[in-house]
Amino acid sequence: MCPSRGRPGTYDPPKAYGQRSGFRTLTLGTWLRWVIAAIRFIDRRAAAKRCACRLSGRVTAMEHEGLAVSVSRAPTEAVVSLHGAIDMSSVAQMSSAVEHLLVDAPPRVVLDLAGVTFCDSQGLGTLVSLSQKARMVQSVLVLTNVGDFLQRVLDVTGLRPALHIV
């Protein structure tokens, strides 16, 4: 059944390329039209789901909230609490907060990751870079309250030994 003529919300996949479909062989052009239709169908379903999530107030894995950074400083350490997603759009904010602390570096800078919901490759690279910058000014960058998902990512990428995790 053609996706544009079927029941709303349904999709019937085509036969494999080169197989007979009724009386005709499925040509490459027909197969490509089916693939494009399937992609559009999936995109419409995802857009409807995102819209429903926005209306209900939930955040899906596809939509990340911003990053909130709060800093508290004591003579022996500084604590940077992060809440939200560490991704390409928010690493500059996190990096500038930590680099500002490293100007007059305390012996220990603590990144509290209890509120972190997502971290992409840009965020991982920034964590390693900040750890190296802290070492250069005779300070140590410590990650605390690291979530299970982030620990798995650090294990898979092999970055766990490069970071001080408590």
Side-chain angles (χ1 to χ4, degrees), residues 44-61:
R44 281 194 304 266
R45 298 278 302 213
K49 184 176 180 182
R50 284 193 302 267
C51 183
C53 288
R54 277 192 211 110
L55 293 175
S56 68
R58 291 185 331 208
V59 177
T60 64

Side-chain angles (χ1 to χ4, degrees), residues 13-28 30-31 34:
K15 304 273 188 211
Y17 174 69
Q19 289 185 352
R20 295 198 54 86
S21 174
F23 296 107
R24 299 181 310 160
T25 302
L26 189 61
T27 64
L28 181 60
T30 306
W31 182 80
W34 275 96

